[in-house]
Amino acid sequence: MADAVMVIDSILNEVEKVIIGKRDVLEKIMMAILAGGHVLIDDIPGVGKTTMSVAFAKALGLKQKRLQFTPDVLPSDITGFSMYDKNTGSFHYVPGAAMTNILLADEINRTSPRTQSALLEVMEEGCITVDGVTRDVPKPFIVIATQNPAGSIGTQELPESQADRFLIRLSIGYPDVKEEIEILKGSQNKSLSAINSVINSADLVTLQEKTRQVYIDDSIYEYIAQLAKLTRQSEQIELGVSPRGSIAAVKMIQARAMLFGRNYARPDDVIAILKPTLQHRLILNNRARFEHDSPDDIFASLVKALPLPKIAER
C-alpha cells in the first residue's frame, strides 16, 4: 500500500504543475480513475476543465484522444465506421475517438442527443459495435467529459441515462485571489509539456485491481443501501439513487481508502464521496422545482437523517 500511495501522490503532483489550488478536486478525479469510472466536470468556461483532463492523461502515461463536441459531431466520430477499400474490394474499420484509453469529451452538452447516446455502450460495456461487429476498447478506458452549465447558449441537458453512467460529477470552481495571482505569474512558463508520465496502462490496471480488494465493512454496505432507500422515498425526489448509483458509491469508497494507503474503508471515506457520486443521480419532482428547493439542501438533509456507520479500526 505504501508504494501505491507514493505512485498516486506522484501522479497528483504532476497534474498540479498546471492546475493550482484544486487538490481536493484532483483527488476525487484520481479516485474515480482508480475505481475504473467516468468523470463529468460541470463548470463554466475558462477554469481549466480541459487542461486538467489532458494533464491526467499525460501523468498516467495513457493514450488519449480529445473530441470537441459541437452540433455537427456524428456518432461515427465516436464509434468509428466501415470504409470501402477499392483496392481490396472489401470494407475495413476506421477507429473513432473512443478507441483510446482516455477519451476527453469536451463540452459534451453542446452536441445532439443522438451523438451523446453513442457514448452509452462504450461507457457501460467497454466495447463498440459498428455494422454488427463488436470490438473491445483498450483497457483501461475512461471518459473524462466536460460540460458548461445548463442554460448556456448552445447547450442541452444530458439524458438521465447518460448522466448516470458517470461515476462522479463535480465542479472545479474559481481560484481564490492568491491562487489566481500564482496562475497569472506562471502562465508564460507552465505548460502540459512539463508533465511527466508516472505510470503506464498496465500499472494503472494493477492499481485498479488493488482498489477492488479494499475491505468494506457490512455496516457501510447497510448505510449505502439505506441512503439509497431514503432517496427513493423522499417526497421531493421523483427518481432516487439506482442500484448502479449504490455500486458507484462502494467503488468510490474503496478508491478513497486506496488513495490514503488503507486496505479497509472508514466512515470518513463514506461521507467524503457521497455528494459527487450520488447527487447528480437524483431527479427532483415538480413540487421541489416549484418550491425552488436546492438539490444540495435536499441531499444534505437526507444524509443528515441517517447515522453514519460505526466500525472499529482494523
Side-chain angles (χ1 to χ4, degrees):
M1 278 292 180
D3 291 341
V5 171
M6 291 179 61
V7 169
I8 293 168
D9 193 55
S10 296
I11 293 168
L12 293 173
N13 289 341
E14 288 297 318
V15 178
E16 281 190 310
K17 289 180 179 179
V18 294
I19 301 296
I20 296 171
K22 299 297 179 183
R23 183 75 179 199
D24 181 62
V25 174
L26 299 183
E27 286 180 349
K28 285 183 171 62
I29 294 176
M30 189 69 226
M31 291 177 213
I33 291 171
L34 290 172
H38 309 294
V39 180
L40 180 61
I41 304 174
D42 186 1
D43 218 324
I44 58 174
V47 293
K49 300 188 296 294
T50 303
T51 300
M52 181 181 291
S53 302
V54 176
F56 266 106
K58 291 179 69 69
L60 293 166
L62 300 178
K63 295 178 182 178
Q64 57 94 7
K65 292 181 181 178
R66 177 175 178 267
L67 183 60
Q68 179 71 46
F69 280 79
T70 56
D72 59 347
V73 171
L74 300 174
S76 58
D77 293 324
I78 298 169
T79 61
F81 56 91
S82 295
M83 177 177 285
Y84 180 73
D85 188 341
K86 66 179 181 180
N87 295 321
T88 62
S90 61
F91 287 88
H92 69 275
Y93 173 66
V94 179
M99 277 297 179
T100 188
N101 293 123
I102 293 187
L103 173 60
L104 309 179
D106 212 1
E107 296 187 304
I108 191 174
N109 60 337
R110 287 195 180 277
T111 194
S112 67
R114 183 184 176 200
T115 301
Q116 290 172 355
S117 67
L119 275 175
L120 291 180
E121 180 188 12
V122 65
M123 288 176 66
E124 186 69 15
E125 305 297 336
C127 59
I128 288 172
T129 301
V130 176
D131 294 335
V133 178
T134 299
R135 297 175 175 86
D136 292 331
V137 295
K139 300 290 188 287
F141 176 75
I142 299 160
V143 174
I144 301 180
T146 71
Q147 71 170 0
N148 294 330
S152 300
I153 296 175
T155 64
Q156 48 194 321
E157 282 286 336
L158 287 179
E160 291 85 356
S161 60
Q162 185 165 337
D164 195 44
R165 257 54 171 204
F166 288 98
L167 188 69
I168 61 171
R169 178 177 179 174
L170 45 77
S171 297
I172 298 174
Y174 287 119
D176 60 29
V177 172
K178 183 179 179 181
E179 292 166 352
E180 190 153 3
I181 291 172
E182 189 175 348
I183 292 170
L184 295 174
K185 286 183 175 180
S187 62
Q188 300 302 318
N189 52 29
K190 288 189 177 180
S191 67
L192 290 166
S193 61
I195 296 178
N196 300 310
S197 297
V198 178
I199 58 175
N200 56 34
S201 58
D203 296 329
L204 179 56
V205 169
T206 300
L207 283 175
Q208 290 174 336
E209 290 172 351
K210 289 182 179 179
T211 301
R212 289 192 289 269
Q213 295 169 6
V214 169
Y215 172 79
I216 294 186
D217 190 79
D218 285 347
S219 62
I220 293 179
Y221 286 121
E222 173 74 15
Y223 177 86
I224 296 299
Q226 290 291 350
L227 181 59
K229 182 180 178 181
L230 282 180
T231 66
R232 297 164 194 165
Q233 295 177 341
S234 171
E235 295 181 353
Q236 297 167 298
I237 297 174
E238 184 174 342
L239 289 177
V241 173
S242 67
R244 180 190 285 137
S246 300
I247 293 170
V250 170
K251 289 180 177 179
M252 281 292 287
I253 290 167
Q254 289 177 312
R256 189 177 189 274
M258 183 72 177
L259 188 79
F260 290 100
R262 287 180 275 104
N263 61 0
Y264 64 95
R266 301 188 313 203
D268 59 310
D269 296 322
V270 178
I271 205 67
I273 62 87
L274 289 178
K275 181 177 178 179
T277 310
L278 299 181
Q279 186 169 304
H280 69 281
R281 304 172 193 274
L282 305 179
I283 300 176
L284 303 187
N285 58 25
N286 291 333
R287 171 186 168 183
R289 295 191 189 99
F290 179 76
E291 296 176 353
H292 301 289
D293 291 327
S294 164
D296 286 346
D297 293 340
I298 293 173
F299 186 69
S301 66
L302 294 176
V303 173
K304 188 177 180 180
L306 195 62
L308 277 174
K310 297 180 188 275
I311 62 172
E313 290 278 350
R314 298 177 74 232

